[in-house]
Amino acid sequence: NLKSELLLFYSYQQRPGKWTQPQPVTAINRSQKINHLGGYSLSYDGNYIYFTSRKTYGIGKYDIWYSKRTGNNIWSTPTNLGRPVNSTQDDGCPSLSPDGKILYFVRCQSMNQKEGSDCQLMMVKRRNQDYWGEPEALPDHINDGNILSPRILADNQTLPYAKSQGSSWD
């Protein structure tokens, strides 16, 4: 049973098997709730959270947003990545490369909390700290179906993703 929105929490491993109590990321939970399953990604340095959200004042129905760590477990008010990353289509499932220079995501003709249709895998290079270049679709031999949930690994070379026979995120 899906809820209309999800709340984001974090926990730290203090030592093997010992985790801190979960804490909410209040800047996101208060103002820009995550409302898309599988639609968030923490940067490898732990300073940025990228996520998918559907808000009426976005560019498309679903857009990619981010929040920056501004202090010890304090996060900035979420910011829409804007154009050209977000489009009038549904953009989501962001995954930032370990070096922070490339963002992988999906662009779909249609998306909701449970499924996406006609989705293709995109990448965009960071131009500087605040701006991104023009997104590009990955090659046709990768985008030959309904592509979902990309995640770039720590080696910055391996990109697992799901290829749906139908359109479900499951």
Side-chain angles (χ1 to χ4, degrees), residues 95 104 121-122 138 142 150-153 155-161:
S95 181
Y104 297 90
L121 185 51
M122 307 290 289
L138 266 63
I142 293 173
R151 290 292 173 250
I152 188 69
L153 299 185
D155 66 5
N156 212 17
Q157 302 283 320
T158 308
L159 183 68
Y161 57 92

Side-chain angles (χ1 to χ4, degrees), residues 33 37 50 54 60 92 111 114 145-146:
K33 295 173 178 54
L37 293 177
Y50 290 83
R54 179 181 181 169
M111 183 188 293
K114 294 193 303 186
N146 192 40

